[in-house]
């Protein structure tokens, strides 16, 4: 197999020295983490590597030599470097060499032991892959969705070659802690050798977060203890709490805040992202709320809204009255049964008259009308279906839950048929009222549903992850991509490995927060069925409600 | 080593296949699709604007015209950035993997890399596409659970849709590398 040498781009201009990194025999790849410069004492280098190995549990070793010829006459360096392979024995021994001013490198990998089969060469072909150490260290690889019958342990064990590279670099952070200004025994070259990266704000925040989290966690536990006290369990308070969506939202946010400010550290990156997403979501919620409040308070808009609300309610009631008058006449040219029409119309008109005086409950009367219309229609349909069965000489067997044949007496048949015809001819009138009110109710439900969806969106959208994907795309990696660099025949192949960021849809899918989600529990088919038979529809059910 | 040849796709449009052999273990195949034709662009723009003008004469609102211009511009930008693929590239590197890149007309590039450990084989498959039977090149991925099974079929050159002669060239080249890869990975 071709030997792959992963070389950090920051070390490409470093002075000659020893290559330090990890050798992965299964993929025949050498991951170079740093370069040790002259002068050094071999014992100290070995000690440092042993320390790093213990701290990071990564098999760091000396992989070979790196030779950067700045002047023409450095032949002696070459011989010196070859002698080093006797001191630090590693199988295979890598020798990378770069001429001054040349873009092309020469690579050699030699095996000490001669292999058993005579045909195989003692030297391997080498492929150079450059990688950006900082980006690979900070990024998190998202493998494609695992098969459902797999366990998490299997996935990491059979991780591909590239996941091993990412893993190696991420775990060797200990090696990158010292920079060139430190007075250590060994001089290393890596991405932080120009100076360790740190931010004062981040450090201060880390120091301050401990006590702040503790304080807030205590406060939140007090609040949640108070809310679960006996007082709030009494009816009707518990009923109100469960119905108001504000309380539902408050409970959801309280749970999220408790999780954010808990004193436990996040165990893995996924949990950390979730905490960050929740925090940003809470901030956005508060910010939107404050913006809305300030907009409402400015220029006395609340007063204007309130003033506009009462005439709107009156307008709705007036329109409903017109609608009922139209139904009581000859709606759409249909001929209604006069007497029934008048009864139904007057019944509903009386309700409007009642409600218009109480409060501007905009749509409560629509809901009531829908319920009455639906119940009436439902009764009618039940009666019709039962009498239709009688008409055909059949019966519904309650015991066996099926339709059976039945022999009726003559007078039963006569009365049944009579009632059937009456119901059939009254059907258009009831059906029309039912249709109109159901449509109005569906309109109201749609508006409610849209508001609900919006709240859900604000709750569950992972804004921190989306922002990270926008500003630091290398942090969330879906994979890698390779670019072939300039190539000369006879020289080893040089590739540049870059990080392929995760697409936005996968970011949302992976990091979406669990919403307090009330989802419609009907499919379109069952909804149509319920509408046809006149059963009542309750589209939005909170979790924990009993089934109707 | 670079070589360019011209082929045709399943609809009869002209394609260009560019082959680059970087080294015995690394090869790249680049299929470039026919460009956006001026004729179809003009036809679409004229239709949209005529329809907008027709609406304008009915409704007498000048906002319809500016909306039509806006829609045409946005539509064109969206088409160039999300739909129109200019070039599709297949890069195969021995013992590393196979990389597929699609570059869109607006310059956007979308890349997928499949590691060699997951690749079972590269084959030419037949498929029924509308009223035609076409050939397409695809990569078979190994199933981690079952050693002889296939977990996924990844088609290559999906937008360019070259014909069998082009596919055979690519197939032969890739199989040389895959055979070498299998030989070296089988030996201890």
């Amino acid at each position: 197999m071709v030997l792959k040498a992963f070389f950090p781009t920051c070390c490409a201009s470093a002075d000659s020295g020893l290559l330090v990194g990890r050798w992965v025999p299964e993929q025949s790849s050498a991951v170079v983490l740093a370069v040790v410069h002259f002068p050094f004492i071999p014992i100290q280098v070995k000690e440092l590597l042993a320390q790093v190995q213990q701290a990071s549990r990564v098999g760091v070793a000396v992989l070979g030599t790196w030779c950067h010829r700045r002047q023409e006459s450095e032949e002696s360096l070459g011989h010196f470097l070859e002698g080093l392979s006797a001191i630090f024995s590693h199988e295979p021994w890598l020798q990378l060499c770069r001429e001054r001013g040349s873009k092309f490198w020469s690579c050699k990998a030699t095996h000490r032991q001669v292999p058993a089969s005579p045909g195989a060469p003692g030297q391997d072909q080498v492929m150079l892959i450059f990688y950006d150490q900082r980006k690979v260290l900070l990024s998190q690889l998202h493998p494609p969705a695992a098969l459902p019958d797999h366990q998490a342990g299997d996935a990491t064990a059979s991780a591909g070659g590239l996941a091993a590279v990412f893993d190696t670099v991420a775990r060797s952070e200990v090696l990158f802690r010292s920079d060139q200004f430190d007075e250590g025994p060994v001089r290393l070259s890596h991405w932080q050798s120009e100076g360790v990266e740190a931010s004062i704000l981040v450090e201060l925040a880390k120091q301050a977060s401990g006590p702040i989290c503790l304080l807030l966690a205590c406060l939140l536990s007090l609040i949640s203890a108070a809310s679960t006290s006996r007082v709030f369990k009494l009816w009707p308070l518990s009923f109100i709490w469960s119905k108001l969506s504000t309380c539902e939202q408050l409970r959801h946010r309280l749970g999220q805040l408790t999780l954010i400010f808990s004193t436990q550290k996040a165990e893995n990156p996924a949990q950390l992202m979730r905490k960050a997403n929740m925090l940003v979501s809470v901030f956005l919620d508060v910010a939107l709320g404050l913006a809305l409040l300030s907009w409402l308070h400015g220029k006395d808009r609340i007063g204007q809204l309130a003033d506009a609300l009462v005439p709107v309610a009156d307008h709705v009631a007036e329109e409903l009255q017109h609608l009922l008058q139209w139904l009581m006449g000859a709606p759409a040219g249909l001929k209604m049964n006069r007497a029934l029409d008048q009864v139904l119309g007057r019944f509903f008109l009386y309700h409007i008259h009642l409600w218009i005086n109480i409060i501007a409950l905009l749509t409560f009367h629509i809901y009531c009308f829908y319920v009455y219309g639906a119940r009436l229609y439902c009764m009618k349909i039940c009666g019709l279906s039962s009498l239709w069965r009688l008409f055909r000489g059949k019966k519904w067997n309650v015991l066996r839950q099926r339709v059976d044949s039945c022999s009726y007496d003559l007078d039963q048949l006569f009365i049944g048929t009579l009632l059937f015809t009456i119901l059939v001819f009254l059907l258009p009138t009831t059906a029309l009222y039912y249709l109109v009110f159901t449509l109005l109710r569906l309109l109201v439900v749609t508006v409610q549903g849209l508001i609900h969806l919006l709240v859900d969106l604000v709750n569950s959208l992972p804004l921190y992850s989306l922002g990270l994907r926008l500003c630091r795309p290398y942090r969330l990696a879906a994979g890698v991509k390779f670019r072939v660099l300039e190539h000369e025949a006879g020289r080893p192949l040089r590739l540049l490995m870059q990080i392929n960021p995760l697409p936005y849809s996968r970011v949302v899918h992976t990091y979406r927060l669990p919403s307090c989600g009330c989802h419609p529990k009907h499919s379109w088919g069952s909804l149509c069925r319920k509408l046809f038979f006149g059963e009542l529809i309750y589209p939005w059910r909170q979790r924990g409600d009993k089934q109707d | 080593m670079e070589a360019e040849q011209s082929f045709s796709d399943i609809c009869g449009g002209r394609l260009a296949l560019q082959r680059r052999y970087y080294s015995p273990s690394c090869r790249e195949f680049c299929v470039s699709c026919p460009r956006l034709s001026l004729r179809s662009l003009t036809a679409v723009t004229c239709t949209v604007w005529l329809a907008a003008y027709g609406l304008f004469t009915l409704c007498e609102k000048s906002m319809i015209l500016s909306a039509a211009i806006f829609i045409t511009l946005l539509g064109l930008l969206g088409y160039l950035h999300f739909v129109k693929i200019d070039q599709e590239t297949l890069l195969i590197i021995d013992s590393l993997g196979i990389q597929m890149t699609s570059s869109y007309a607006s310059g956007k590039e979308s890349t997928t890399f499949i590691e060699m450990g997951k690749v079972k084989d590269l084959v030419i498959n037949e498929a029924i596409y509308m009223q035609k039977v076409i050939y397409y090149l695809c990569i078979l991925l190994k199933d981690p659970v079952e050693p002889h099974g296939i977990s996924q079929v990844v088609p290559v050159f999906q937008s360019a849709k070259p014909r069998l002669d082009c596919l055979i060239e690519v197939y032969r080249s890739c199989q040389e590398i895959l055979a070498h890869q299998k030989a070296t990975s089988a030996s201890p």
Side-chain angles (χ1 to χ4, degrees):
Chain A
M1 250 212 274
V2 179
L3 196 147
K4 301 177 279 269
F6 289 87
F7 198 79
T9 44
C10 48
C11 297
S13 51
D15 289 332
S16 313
L18 282 176
L19 292 169
V20 161
R22 181 185 170 204
W23 167 249
V24 184
E26 300 92 39
Q27 277 95 35
S28 173
S29 49
V31 184
V32 175
L33 294 168
V35 177
V36 175
H37 295 298
F38 307 113
F40 58 82
I41 304 173
I43 306 276
Q44 283 176 339
V45 172
K46 288 188 184 168
E47 263 176 27
L48 174 75
L49 290 178
Q51 274 175 6
V52 170
Q53 204 159 350
Q54 205 183 23
S56 63
R57 294 191 317 275
V58 173
V60 183
V62 174
L63 296 173
T65 54
W66 160 244
C67 175
H68 192 183
R69 289 214 188 109
R70 297 204 192 264
Q71 282 106 31
E72 294 303 321
S73 59
E74 272 189 13
E75 293 301 326
S76 54
L77 193 61
H79 292 302
F80 174 60
L81 288 173
E82 278 180 29
L84 282 171
S85 67
I87 309 175
F88 302 100
S89 58
H90 187 263
E91 183 73 17
W93 185 250
L94 200 60
Q95 285 166 296
L96 301 175
C97 185
R98 183 183 180 183
E99 308 284 332
R100 185 181 79 112
S102 161
K103 264 187 283 190
F104 304 107
W105 298 22
S106 67
C107 312
K108 252 193 319 181
T110 44
H111 291 277
R112 187 83 51 68
Q113 297 134 354
V114 178
S117 52
Q123 257 191 20
D124 269 340
Q125 249 197 334
V126 182
M127 195 193 301
L128 269 173
I129 303 173
F130 295 106
Y131 71 98
D132 189 328
Q133 217 166 34
R134 176 170 172 266
K135 292 196 177 162
V136 170
L137 182 79
L138 291 172
S139 89
Q140 193 198 336
L141 207 53
H142 294 80
L147 295 165
D149 51 351
H150 254 198
Q151 297 185 359
D154 282 357
T156 45
S158 65
L162 293 161
V165 172
F166 276 71
D167 194 43
T168 309
V169 178
R171 285 201 284 168
S172 318
E173 238 186 297
V174 159
L175 190 63
F176 306 134
R177 291 245 178 94
S178 63
D179 55 22
Q180 65 187 13
F181 306 107
D182 279 349
E183 297 288 334
V186 178
R187 201 162 61 96
L188 285 171
S189 216
H190 45 74
W191 70 282
Q192 283 196 330
S193 52
E194 301 292 319
V196 174
E197 245 188 36
S199 157
I200 292 184
L201 290 171
V202 170
E203 296 298 317
L204 279 174
K206 277 191 196 162
Q207 294 294 325
S209 66
I212 291 182
C213 275
L214 206 60
L215 185 69
L216 282 168
C218 292
L219 210 66
L220 285 167
S221 61
L222 271 172
I223 296 178
S224 36
S227 68
T228 51
S229 71
R230 303 291 305 270
V231 178
F232 293 123
K233 289 244 187 327
L234 299 169
W235 209 90
L237 268 175
S238 65
F239 179 70
I240 298 177
W241 278 161
S242 63
K243 286 298 173 199
L244 286 179
S245 56
T246 319
C247 297
E248 193 57 44
Q249 180 75 348
L250 273 175
R251 202 180 312 160
H252 183 61
R253 284 299 183 200
L254 196 68
Q256 280 189 340
L257 282 172
T258 326
L259 186 64
I260 296 173
F261 292 117
S262 73
T263 43
Q264 277 176 316
K265 268 184 93 82
E267 275 136 43
N268 54 23
Q271 272 197 3
L272 186 69
M273 285 288 240
R274 188 193 258 211
K275 275 194 178 183
N277 280 324
M278 281 187 192
L279 193 66
V280 174
S281 167
V282 168
F283 275 142
L284 179 76
D285 214 353
V286 170
L288 280 176
L290 284 174
L292 189 67
L293 270 178
S294 67
W295 181 78
L296 281 177
H297 273 287
K299 293 198 208 164
D300 191 31
R301 285 211 186 83
I302 293 187
Q304 286 176 3
L305 260 176
D307 285 338
L309 213 62
V310 173
V312 166
D314 279 343
H315 179 75
V316 168
E318 227 180 85
E319 287 300 313
L320 263 179
Q321 269 184 320
H322 284 308
L323 185 70
L324 285 166
Q325 296 288 359
W326 177 72
L327 281 174
M328 276 160 61
L334 293 169
K335 190 163 186 304
M336 302 274 109
N337 179 287
R338 205 107 188 77
L340 183 63
D341 209 5
Q342 295 284 338
V343 165
L344 286 176
R346 282 215 202 104
F347 178 62
F348 291 130
L349 270 172
Y350 177 63
H351 276 86
I352 294 177
H353 173 74
L354 273 185
W355 258 287
I356 207 168
N357 291 336
I358 308 176
I359 316 168
L361 289 173
L362 281 166
T363 60
F364 196 44
H365 30 326
I366 295 182
Y367 175 65
C368 283
F369 295 169
Y370 163 70
V371 172
Y372 300 151
R375 290 267 186 243
L376 211 62
Y377 180 73
C378 183
M379 276 195 300
K380 198 176 195 79
I381 291 285
C382 277
L384 262 177
S385 54
S386 158
L387 288 170
W388 171 243
R389 275 181 232 123
L390 178 136
F391 197 63
R392 284 156 53 219
K394 300 219 186 276
K395 184 182 83 153
W396 175 252
N397 192 336
V398 185
L399 204 62
R400 287 179 190 253
Q401 295 286 310
R402 64 169 189 206
V403 177
D404 275 342
S405 63
C406 171
S407 59
Y408 291 102
D409 294 338
L410 196 64
D411 46 356
Q412 282 175 331
L413 273 177
F414 181 64
I415 298 197
T417 316
L418 209 63
L419 285 173
F420 177 69
T421 35
I422 293 175
L423 283 179
V424 161
F425 289 132
L426 290 179
L427 186 65
T429 319
T430 336
L432 194 70
Y433 272 86
Y434 173 65
L435 186 74
V436 167
F437 292 133
T438 310
L439 283 174
L440 281 175
R441 170 84 183 131
L442 282 179
L443 190 69
V444 171
V445 164
T446 317
V447 170
Q448 271 185 338
L450 280 172
I451 296 179
H452 212 93
L453 264 174
L454 198 65
V455 170
D456 221 20
L457 193 72
V458 172
N459 271 347
S460 69
L461 200 65
L463 281 166
Y464 176 73
S465 306
L466 284 174
L468 204 65
R469 167 67 183 85
L470 193 66
C471 306
R472 304 256 187 279
Y474 57 84
R475 291 279 297 264
L476 301 167
V480 293
K481 52 187 176 194
F482 291 93
R483 197 157 62 96
V484 183
L485 298 173
E486 225 179 287
H487 179 69
E488 205 184 53
R491 297 286 196 166
L493 186 67
R494 296 183 312 143
L495 300 165
L496 177 66
M497 183 172 91
Q498 289 166 314
I499 296 193
N500 203 13
L502 209 56
Y504 286 101
S505 52
R506 268 197 71 192
V507 173
V508 172
H509 184 72
T510 321
Y511 291 110
R512 143 191 285 224
L513 296 166
S515 53
C516 67
C518 320
H519 297 289
K521 58 181 183 110
H522 301 305
S523 64
W524 288 111
S526 73
L527 186 73
C528 289
R529 208 185 128 269
K530 287 199 172 192
L531 280 176
F532 185 70
F533 284 115
E535 288 169 31
L536 290 178
I537 311 166
Y538 299 100
W540 303 104
R541 284 291 222 177
Q542 312 280 37
R543 256 197 234 143
D545 271 5
K546 287 199 277 273
Q547 295 288 325
D548 192 10
Chain B
M1 178 190 117
E2 274 198 35
E4 185 160 340
Q5 255 181 295
S6 108
F7 291 96
S8 65
D9 70 6
I10 56 173
C11 305
R14 270 201 57 214
L15 292 177
L17 174 72
Q18 216 182 21
R19 274 176 291 192
R20 288 192 206 105
Y21 288 5
Y22 293 112
S23 90
S25 56
C26 177
R27 288 181 194 174
E28 192 176 40
F29 304 95
C30 187
V31 176
S32 19
C33 311
R35 300 291 174 118
L36 181 66
S37 77
L38 200 59
R39 198 186 297 176
S40 58
L41 182 64
T42 324
V44 171
T45 317
C46 284
T47 328
V48 173
W49 284 0
L50 275 173
Y53 194 68
L55 270 176
F56 170 68
T57 46
L58 277 173
C59 304
E60 301 292 333
K61 277 207 186 123
S62 65
M63 203 170 63
I64 296 180
L65 293 177
S66 25
I69 295 177
F70 201 56
I71 289 172
T72 318
L73 274 174
L74 276 183
L76 183 66
L77 283 174
Y79 177 70
L80 290 178
H81 192 73
F82 293 110
V83 178
K84 179 85 186 78
I85 293 184
D86 241 0
Q87 238 184 29
E88 283 187 306
T89 314
L90 181 75
L91 174 69
I92 179 162
I93 308 170
D94 187 11
S95 84
L96 199 58
I98 305 181
Q99 174 171 289
M100 293 165 295
T101 314
S102 313
S103 19
Y104 291 82
S106 64
K108 174 174 104 160
E109 278 188 7
S110 107
T111 320
T112 324
F113 179 74
I114 304 174
E115 290 176 52
M116 209 41 117
K118 292 204 191 117
V119 171
K120 188 162 196 257
D121 205 356
L122 186 80
V123 294
I124 297 182
N125 247 352
E126 263 182 304
I128 299 177
Y129 179 69
M130 307 278 235
Q131 79 283 12
K132 298 192 256 248
V133 174
I134 60 164
Y135 297 95
Y136 65 99
L137 192 66
C138 56
I139 304 175
L140 303 174
L141 299 184
K142 283 186 192 157
D143 193 0
V145 175
E146 209 193 320
H148 293 293
I150 295 169
S151 74
Q152 218 185 339
V153 173
V154 180
V156 179
F157 301 137
Q158 263 186 303
S159 309
K161 299 197 190 73
R163 282 200 175 155
L164 191 61
D165 42 7
C166 177
L167 292 178
I168 288 180
E169 292 286 335
V170 178
Y171 175 79
R172 282 212 186 108
S173 252
C174 291
Q175 282 295 337
E176 282 169 19
I177 293 192
L178 284 179
H180 182 249
Q181 146 78 18
K182 282 199 184 102
T184 47
S185 66
S187 61

